Structures are given as structure tokens and as C-alpha cells.
Amino acid sequence: MAKDILQKPGAFFDQFDRKGGAQKTTHYCPGCGHGNAHKLIAEAIDDMGLQDRAVFVSPVGCSVFAYYYFDMGNIQAAHGRAPAVGTGVKRTRPNSIVISYQGDGDLASIGSAEILHAANRGEQMAVFFINNAIYGMTGGQMAATSLIGQKTTTSPYGRTVENEGYPMQMAEIMATLRAPVFVQRCHLADSKGIMDTRKAVRKAIKNQAEGKGFSFVEILSPCPTGWKMSTHDACEYIKTNMLPIFPAKVFKDESETREPFFREIPTLTDEQVIKALELGMLGEPQPRDEKFLKNFTTMKYKFAGFGGQGVLTAGVILAATAMQENLQVSWIPSYGPEMRGGTANCSVVLSKDPIGSPLVVKPDVLAVMNDPSLDTFENDLKPGGLLIVNSSIIARKTKRTDIDTLYIPLTDIASKMGLTAAANMVLLGAYLEYTKLLPLEHLKLIAPRGLKRKELADKNVEAVEAGAKWVRENITAKKTKAPAPVA
Amino acid sequence: MELIKANEAVVKAAILAGCTQYYGYPITPASEVAMASAKYLPKVGGTFLQAESEVAAINMVYGASGAGARVMTASSGPGISLKQEGVSYMAASELPCVIVDVMRAGPGLGNIWPEQGDWNQVVHGGGHGNYKVIVLTPNCAQEMCDLTILAFELAEKYRTPVYLLTDAYIGQMMEPVNFPKERVKPARKDWALYADADSHKNLVSSIFMSTGGLEEHNIHLQEKYAEIEKNEVRYQEVMVEDADLVMIGYGFISRMLLSVTEILREEGYKVGLLRPITAFPFCSKRLEELAGQGKTFLDVELSNGQMLRDVRLAVGKDATVHFYNRMGGIVPSVEELTNVARGYLK
């Protein structure tokens, strides 16, 4: 024969020490629905043996003190943010049972974004929404769920459609989303309502334990103090005034059919992590000798051209090649006000000493891939500097007479190889062959690294070689007034 | 050694520091931090989640931190403004986390170019209540790595949010970075929620309703901040010892001031550079000392003088502090700054 055991659920503290004062009673007003709702949740957690795993997100509002009562992990959330806080907890501890508990101001107003998106992500949590159509803790102000005509301290003449719109029907909104597994509205106005709520609470928590997803239970709850009614009248008010607007029913239930999902957190070794982070791609530096480093004079570069001509990458590859010599390097793309002339450009600095400003205003070497770049930066090049002009695209010659200039058909050379985009590599190959600043071999080593399309790796090396070849074949009188690289 | 964008170095360093969670909302110029997190965190068993808002993001960070994770977020000016409520809650609940602020120009929507106008809202607490957070100001990609790792350590040691306050330029730069070869394995925290029997009595909260309870908590926090000021001041000095003029700047500006220092030293001027690495705690004592030696100062900022107030407080009313600034995303050239400094040296 069934036996009734009447006792406080184990998921409640036996004595409410966190509360101070009268430690056996709650802080809720007589007739308030929170007590019932708390009890149904505590009982379900207890019966399912989930107490150790449970994390209760205490909201803002009358139930801000839920942590007084629930003997489980507790985290207090800012107004409206419980579903976001719960998300952080759940993602960190997939084994946790997250109980997000919010009132109407919390969930339906200030936190409407958080609840909508947590629901839409199908966040694995149980959300209990206590709808009493009023702000209790704050002093009886209007809620998004207050009824039309309802008088509150901030709708003293009654809520009107014209001024505040219609009561927010959160369960209905939740049910329109695909992700939630279970959406029900119930009430605490009578025994049957409480028993329905009990079932809904248990289903929501069970769903989470079984990895079924996001469950939403809206609970119409009496607030005799806020409504200025007797307990009895408050319960009647739910039945006669609230239920017609907020019907108690199951809006969505896919609990039986939903595939369970459990997020697993793998454990990786340090080696696996290093590999996942793609570290060590450049390999170890292969410096030539100490003399090279010691005598190196700081070099400043500007690479400029259309987006897509690879000028930014050219700068990166040059910097990476210089790292092979243990040089200090910096690379910075055009950004902010110095983005001018409709060109993409980057600054590169190579130095044996720590680099101050990485922005290059007066470069030692300027490489231009298109006309606007030449127009914009031509006058910035240092006297005696080296200008490299992509003569495939730029027809005109420089007006400067105090510089060394190479006119190289970079785009044509690259196109002939069948990869126009490799003009930047032709540029670097030509530059290093011309100046011998860094070993061409290092450039060929670096150029293919980090390419997503491996078949392009060979092409890049080919392009470097093509640039170098062009210089060998076309430039006889080497150098020049360009800043002397140290051999 | 890697050649890496500073905004990405933060993410790889964070993962090596044991960070497993990133919650954020994209904003230029901090988006690379989100994108790199999205790329790498799932590969190492971590969580990247693009939140519906900055507000939600910081509250997810709050939840993850409460659950014991090493967790990070990143944003820029307007986004940091939105996060401030959550930062106040985290400071009050004594939850560790790392927040990267890649500053852009304001106020309002402003523009996406570099500025240093977030000093006030980050260093002096932009949220409500009596709290402070540790603020680190990297000026190169290597520091974006090293200070990220330090940020996670300090955040847990002092149970506080820690900011990396940087700017659009530093974030965009690529420089060589040496990463550690091992991943930090953080110890279990006795206060966090692990969803198990040993932690189920734990409470993460910032509400103190008992009489005097909140005052007591505030006093505890202030004692903690005093401890941080005692132990964690960091700064870099370049040729300050014999300098007549000490230039002060952080982040990208400190790189330019390094160039200025080199140029003016070659010209024979006695000029030096003091670069705060921690914005809170601030190098006030050192500045006071230098002022006592009779040095003159030049504070350079990409703001209306937000750090200047801290400098002036530190050096006292008798010291001479010059100020040079640009705002609205305009960055001075090295030449411009050299001329300004030279003007005070003649």
C-alpha cells in the first residue's frame, strides 16, 4: 500500500542559515506562489538524485533569495541574465543540472534577449518562469505580462494597449522556436494546477538530465500583496482573469522523440594542443652568422597595391624570412587614417634592435603594384631608396631622380606561370636577388608555409625563382644607391 | 617562434594558459580575437560561443567563471561600456576572468581607428560600486601573449577580472612571438561550482543584505586592491636614469616614444621613456620618486588626458607635466612627437 511521507525535500536546507532571522520560515508573503514553485523543484531534484549536480541560478526579484533555501550549487545572476549565466555554467560543466528561475520583469522585459537566444540555441537547461503579472520585490510596478486594465504602481489608471501594448505571452513565443523541446504553461491557483505544475517541473528537469535540450515552464503564480488581494481572491484572479489571456497548456512537447545530446569535453595532451594551435609552422631560425646580425642596419618597407595583389602577404613573407636570421621584425597593415589612395598597403620593419614604431612613413624600399600606389607613396621614399614598380600595370616612370628604381613586369611574369596571384612572390624573389639582403633559399623555404592550398606551394617557389631569374637576366649593373644591405 | 597577429597571439596564449571558454560579441577592431577563438577553442575541447549581445557575453563569462573555468571575452569601447554591469558583478562576486579591450575611437559610435579613450572606464571602473580591476597594457605581440598568461594567473590569484587594455594598432600588428610549450593546468578552486558533491554548498553571489555585511565586503575588496597595489605594479623604463625629460605613454604610443627616445638621444638630448605596463595598479610611487629627482614629464596619449590625471596625482603639484595628445583615431607621427619633445628640451 502506498505510504505518504510528509517531509521537506532534501534539496532544501533544513534550516535557512543564509537568511538570518527566523530560520525555519521563508521570506515570501503569505499566499505567494514562489514557495510552491520552489518546493516542486526541490522535490523533483531530490527524487531524481540530482542534488549534487544541480546549479540554481538565483534571479533578481522576490526569488533573489532562492539560495537561502536550495541546498545545491547556487549562482546569483544580474537582472535578466539568468539564461546567459546558466549558459556559461552549462557549457563549462555539461554534467550540471542548470535550474534557471526568473520572474516576469526579469525574463519577459529586461532579459528578453537572453531568454530568447538561450531557447533558440536549445541550451540544455530547465527554465522556470514565474509569471505573476507584476513586479513584486520592487513595489508592485507593471510587468510586460500585466493584464490590460491592470492597475499597478506604474500603471495607476490601468494598463492600456495604446500605452504599453499587450501582455507578453512568453510560452507562446518560446513554442514558435524550433530548438526548445518542451514548453508548457501551468498555474498554482488550485490543487489540480499545482499537480500539473509538478508534472511539468519534473519533465523539464528530467529532459535536461536526459540531454533532451531546453525546457520552458511558465507558471502563473499568485501575488496577493502586489495585487492587493486575499490569498483566496488571488487564486480566483488567476483562474478568471489570467487564464483567458495566458492559457494553461502544453505548447510543445518533443520529449519522447528528441535525440539526446551530451556535450563531451575531451582531454588533450600538450603536444595535441600545440598542434591544434598550429605552432611551430615556421620551423627553427637558420641564422647565417653573428656578423650579419651585428652589422644589420634597420630596413623599412612599404608594400602597396590593389586588394588581391598580395601586398599584405608579401610583407608577411618578407618578415618571416627575416626571422630566419633572428632579426626583429614588425608588420602592420594600412589601418586608420593612413589608408589613403584606395590602396592596400603594409609597413614592414626589419632590425637587429627592438623596433619602436612599426609604422613606416619614409621607407627604404617601396614596392608598388598599381598606379594609385605609386602616386600616393612615390614622394615618401627616402632619398637613395629603392623603388620597385610593377610595370605590367603601371605605365609611367617615376619623377624621382634621387632613387634607384626597378621596373619589373611582375604580373606578366606571374601570369605566364599561370598564377597571377603570385606576382607578390615574383616581387620578393626579384628583390632578394637584386639586393642579396636575405638568402633566396630562406625565402623559398618560407614562401609555401601557411598556404591552405598545398598545390600552390610549388607555384610560390616557382614564382620566387622567376622573379630572381628576371633580375639575373635583365639587370646587369647591380646596385646602386639603395641603402646598402650588409653582406 | 611564430610570426603572428597580436590579436591572435592573445587567443593562443589564453589557450596555453588553460582558458577553455570564450563568450563574446564581434566588434571592430577586436573581432580577430573572437575569430581566432572560434577557430582554435573547439579544436582543443573548449567552448566558443557568439553571444546575442555584449551584455549576454559578459554574463556567460560570469557563469563560466562561477563554474570554475578559465574564461575570456574581448571587445572594444562601445562593447566594453555595455559589459560594465557584468564586470561590476564579477568584481563583487570575486570571479576571475580576462577581458581584452582593443580600443577604438569614441565617444559614441566614433570610428574604428586607434584611441586610448577607454582608460577611465576600464582603469577607474566603468560599472557601479567600489571596485577596481587589474589592467595590463601590452605594447607588442609578445606581450599580448605574455600578459595574457599573466592575466589569467593574476585573475585567479586575486579572484578578480583582469583587463588587457590595448588598441587597434597593437591588435593588427604581426610580430614574432615565442609561446610556451606547455599548457597550464589550473588547480581546482574551492569556491567554484563544479556540479559535484564537493562543491554543491558553494554560492557565487554579490548580494549582501545583512546589516553591515556589504560594508564588510567592500572593506575586504579595498584590502585586496591595496594588496594588488603593493605587489603587482609593473612598468618599463628606457634611459630614464639621467633623463631631464621623461616621456610617459602606454600601448602603441609607447612604441612611438621609443623611436622618439632613440632619435633624440642620438641628437644628444637627455630624454627617457616610462611605460606603465599595469594601468591598475599604476606606477605612482615611481613617478613620485622621479618627480622628487626634479625630472620634467611629457605625457602622450590618444585621449583627452585620461591617464594624465593619474600622472598628475602621482607627481604632485610641483612637478612639470607637459601633455600632448591626438584624438578621434588620429595617430601622431614619430616626427611630430619628436618635435614636441624636442621643444621641451631646449
Side-chain angles (χ1 to χ4, degrees):
Chain A
M1 207 179 122
K3 193 172 148 195
D4 290 331
I5 302 172
L6 301 173
Q7 62 175 28
K8 201 186 278 182
F12 276 146
F13 285 114
D14 190 40
Q15 187 171 302
F16 307 139
D17 289 335
R18 285 169 175 168
K19 180 166 171 270
Q23 293 173 348
K24 286 284 184 184
T25 57
T26 74
H27 72 289
Y28 295 115
C29 306
C32 168
H34 278 304
N36 275 332
H38 282 18
K39 187 178 171 186
L40 297 176
I41 293 167
E43 207 179 65
I45 294 281
D46 204 15
D47 290 352
M48 294 180 214
L50 299 173
Q51 190 177 359
D52 287 343
R53 290 164 56 194
V55 175
F56 194 99
V57 187
S58 295
V60 166
C62 290
S63 46
V64 66
F65 301 120
Y67 65 90
Y68 286 172
Y69 314 117
F70 288 97
D71 182 6
M72 55 183 74
N74 267 279
I75 184 162
Q76 200 263 321
H79 200 24
R81 320 298 173 219
V85 171
T87 297
V89 172
K90 188 71 183 189
R91 298 294 181 112
T92 302
R93 306 281 159 223
N95 189 45
S96 62
I97 301 295
V98 173
I99 308 296
S100 184
Y101 186 103
Q102 297 181 271
D104 37 47
D106 202 333
L107 183 139
S109 285
I110 202 165
S112 50
E114 282 80 359
I115 189 61
L116 201 63
H117 286 269
N120 194 51
R121 287 191 302 269
E123 216 57 67
Q124 298 259 356
M125 56 172 72
V127 173
F128 300 110
F129 169 39
I130 307 300
N131 179 3
N132 56 18
I134 202 157
Y135 285 31
M137 180 68 112
T138 326
Q141 292 87 355
M142 197 200 77
T145 53
S146 290
L147 304 182
I148 302 300
Q150 187 175 338
K151 288 182 180 170
T152 70
T153 53
T154 51
S155 57
Y157 312 111
R159 177 178 185 159
T160 64
V161 171
E162 292 74 21
N163 204 44
E164 295 100 354
Y166 293 93
M168 289 273 272
Q169 294 164 307
M170 290 309 298
E172 285 83 345
I173 291 170
M174 290 290 120
T176 62
L177 301 173
R178 278 182 66 175
V181 60
F182 172 57
V183 179
Q184 182 173 346
R185 182 185 289 120
C186 34
H187 69 87
L188 299 170
D190 56 25
S191 307
K192 183 176 178 306
I194 292 171
M195 289 316 288
D196 286 346
T197 306
R198 181 175 183 270
K199 274 188 220 153
V201 165
R202 296 173 90 85
K203 181 173 270 186
I205 293 171
K206 186 163 170 277
N207 277 345
Q208 186 180 178
E210 292 177 353
K212 297 281 176 66
F214 180 93
S215 299
F216 183 90
V217 180
E218 176 171 342
I219 303 169
L220 304 180
S221 175
C223 180
T225 305
W227 297 348
K228 298 181 172 53
M229 290 178 196
S230 71
T231 302
H232 175 268
D233 289 351
C235 290
E236 286 307 309
Y237 182 79
I238 289 180
K239 286 194 264 187
T240 54
N241 294 56
M242 287 182 80
L243 280 173
I245 309 297
F246 300 114
K249 63 183 230 191
V250 176
F251 290 89
K252 181 175 185 182
D253 188 1
E254 298 174 5
S255 309
E256 293 305 314
T257 52
R258 191 64 72 91
E259 282 296 316
F261 170 71
F262 294 98
R263 208 175 290 279
E264 283 179 25
I265 299 181
T267 321
L268 274 72
T269 63
D270 286 351
E271 290 71 30
Q272 287 171 315
V273 170
I274 299 283
K275 186 158 179 273
L277 295 182
E278 299 169 309
L279 296 177
M281 304 271 281
L282 288 179
E284 289 299 308
Q286 304 173 14
R288 275 185 285 190
D289 52 44
E290 279 173 29
K291 223 175 86 192
F292 171 81
L293 200 61
K294 212 172 128 246
N295 295 329
F296 191 87
T297 324
T298 300
M299 291 289 291
K300 295 180 177 179
Y301 298 81
K302 176 88 78 182
F303 295 92
F306 286 130
Q309 283 185 314
V311 290
L312 300 186
T313 310
V316 174
I317 299 289
L318 178 69
T321 304
M323 281 171 66
Q324 291 287 309
E325 301 285 358
N326 282 330
L327 283 166
Q328 308 270 350
V329 308
S330 70
W331 172 96
I332 190 165
S334 56
Y335 192 88
E338 88 283 6
M339 265 168 88
R340 49 197 166 125
T343 67
N345 71 79
C346 67
S347 296
V348 174
V349 181
L350 313 181
S351 176
K352 65 176 193 295
D353 302 312
I355 296 168
S357 173
L359 289 175
V360 173
V361 181
K362 293 191 171 152
D364 299 297
V365 179
L366 170 66
V368 289
M369 301 294 278
N370 65 354
D371 285 288
S373 298
L374 179 59
D375 298 345
T376 309
F377 297 113
E378 185 175 14
N379 291 328
D380 294 343
L381 185 61
K382 268 190 202 161
L386 174 63
L387 171 67
I388 304 177
V389 177
N390 179 14
S391 61
S392 306
I393 293 189
I394 305 169
R396 80 168 172 93
K397 304 286 180 199
T398 177
K399 294 170 202 133
R400 299 271 302 261
T401 52
D402 59 341
I403 55 170
D404 185 18
T405 308
L406 291 178
Y407 297 96
I408 312 178
L410 298 169
T411 306
D412 292 339
I413 296 171
S415 299
K416 241 176 255 171
M417 288 169 37
L419 189 63
T420 311
N424 57 351
M425 294 299 134
V426 178
L427 164 70
L428 291 180
Y431 169 67
L432 288 190
E433 177 63 27
Y434 184 67
T435 63
K436 309 282 191 217
L437 183 77
L438 302 165
L440 208 56
E441 290 314 308
H442 284 178
L443 174 60
K444 288 184 193 167
L445 202 70
I446 297 297
R449 297 243 170 100
L451 281 178
K452 282 205 180 71
R453 290 166 60 196
K454 290 295 165 206
E455 73 271 18
L456 294 184
D458 292 344
K459 281 280 177 201
N460 266 9
V461 175
E462 209 183 299
V464 166
E465 184 47 46
K469 186 162 163 262
W470 189 92
V471 167
R472 282 196 296 270
E473 290 173 358
N474 294 279
I475 308 292
T476 44
K478 288 217 171 163
K479 310 265 316 165
T480 150
K481 288 169 271 166
V486 179
Chain B
M1 191 76 87
E2 321 295 325
L3 180 62
I4 186 171
K5 203 172 252 201
N7 272 349
E8 286 180 25
V10 167
V11 174
K12 293 189 182 187
I15 289 171
L16 290 167
C19 174
T20 59
Q21 313 279 310
Y22 182 100
Y23 303 91
Y25 189 85
I27 180 170
T28 310
S31 294
E32 285 101 349
V33 185
M35 294 188 292
S37 297
K39 179 175 178 187
Y40 293 111
L41 267 169
K43 286 169 79 177
V44 297
T47 299
F48 168 85
L49 189 59
Q50 182 168 321
E52 59 270 26
S53 67
E54 296 279 6
V55 175
I58 192 69
N59 282 282
M60 290 172 186
V61 168
Y62 175 98
S65 178
R70 285 199 167 184
V71 55
M72 179 170 77
T73 187
S75 191
S76 186
I80 296 294
S81 304
L82 284 166
K83 284 188 196 294
Q84 294 290 13
E85 176 203 40
V87 178
S88 169
Y89 272 73
M90 292 193 79
S93 307
E94 298 193 84
L95 290 179
C97 75
V98 173
I99 304 167
V100 184
D101 179 0
V102 187
M103 287 183 279
R104 57 189 251 174
L109 197 51
N111 63 38
I112 58 171
W113 300 332
E115 215 193 53
Q116 296 181 319
D118 285 0
W119 178 280
N120 280 350
Q121 73 155 337
V122 166
V123 178
H124 296 299
H128 59 286
N130 310 305
Y131 76 91
K132 289 183 176 185
V133 290
I134 296 174
V135 183
L136 309 174
T137 63
N139 81 342
C140 61
Q142 182 66 56
E143 276 195 352
M144 287 287 262
C145 166
D146 298 347
L147 295 185
T148 297
I149 295 168
L150 177 67
F152 279 101
E153 295 303 325
L154 295 178
E156 273 183 17
K157 181 176 176 192
Y158 295 102
R159 289 189 58 184
T160 176
V162 176
Y163 271 95
L164 247 71
L165 185 63
T166 181
D167 60 64
Y169 263 140
I170 297 287
Q172 299 292 324
M173 279 170 60
M174 278 179 104
E175 284 183 322
V177 175
N178 221 343
F179 286 96
K181 299 283 177 287
E182 285 173 5
R183 190 185 200 183
V184 177
K185 283 97 193 161
R188 187 178 162 109
K189 306 162 185 82
D190 58 8
W191 50 264
L193 303 165
Y194 289 84
D196 61 14
D198 289 342
S199 67
H200 101 258
K201 299 278 183 204
N202 287 345
L203 167 65
V204 174
S205 170
S206 62
I207 186 168
F208 294 88
M209 292 297 284
S210 65
T211 316
L214 184 55
E215 183 175 45
E216 201 180 302
H217 182 60
N218 266 286
I219 290 168
H220 158 69
L221 290 178
Q222 302 315 311
E223 284 169 354
K224 177 164 84 175
Y225 303 142
E227 193 67 16
I228 289 170
E229 290 196 78
K230 206 173 80 191
N231 302 333
E232 307 299 344
V233 176
R234 287 168 172 81
Y235 55 87
Q236 182 197 0
E237 289 184 355
V238 181
M239 291 184 264
V240 161
E241 210 58 33
D242 68 338
D244 300 324
L245 179 72
V246 177
M247 299 185 290
I248 308 164
Y250 71 100
F252 194 75
I253 284 295
S254 71
R255 296 289 294 267
M256 312 201 85
L257 292 179
L258 178 61
S259 292
V260 173
T261 306
E262 285 164 2
I263 292 166
L264 290 176
R265 279 278 169 178
E266 266 184 34
E267 292 178 14
Y269 291 106
K270 286 187 173 170
V271 61
L273 165 64
L274 174 66
R275 166 172 82 98
I277 296 175
T278 50
F280 175 77
F282 193 58
C283 48
S284 307
K285 280 217 178 84
R286 180 58 182 158
L287 279 166
E288 195 184 344
E289 266 172 36
L290 293 173
Q293 295 167 15
K295 293 191 192 299
T296 299
F297 302 91
L298 169 60
D299 175 291
V300 181
E301 294 181 52
L302 300 177
S303 85
N304 61 344
Q306 299 191 10
M307 180 175 72
L308 180 65
R309 296 175 61 194
D310 297 86
V311 172
R312 286 218 166 109
L313 263 178
V315 300
K317 65 175 167 48
D318 294 334
T320 305
V321 184
H322 304 293
F323 177 59
Y324 189 76
N325 72 326
R326 298 299 299 265
M327 294 178 288
I330 304 294
V331 177
S333 68
V334 169
E335 198 180 357
E336 180 180 347
L337 293 178
T338 306
N339 290 337
V340 169
R342 202 188 283 114
Y344 294 120
L345 283 156
K346 284 201 171 131

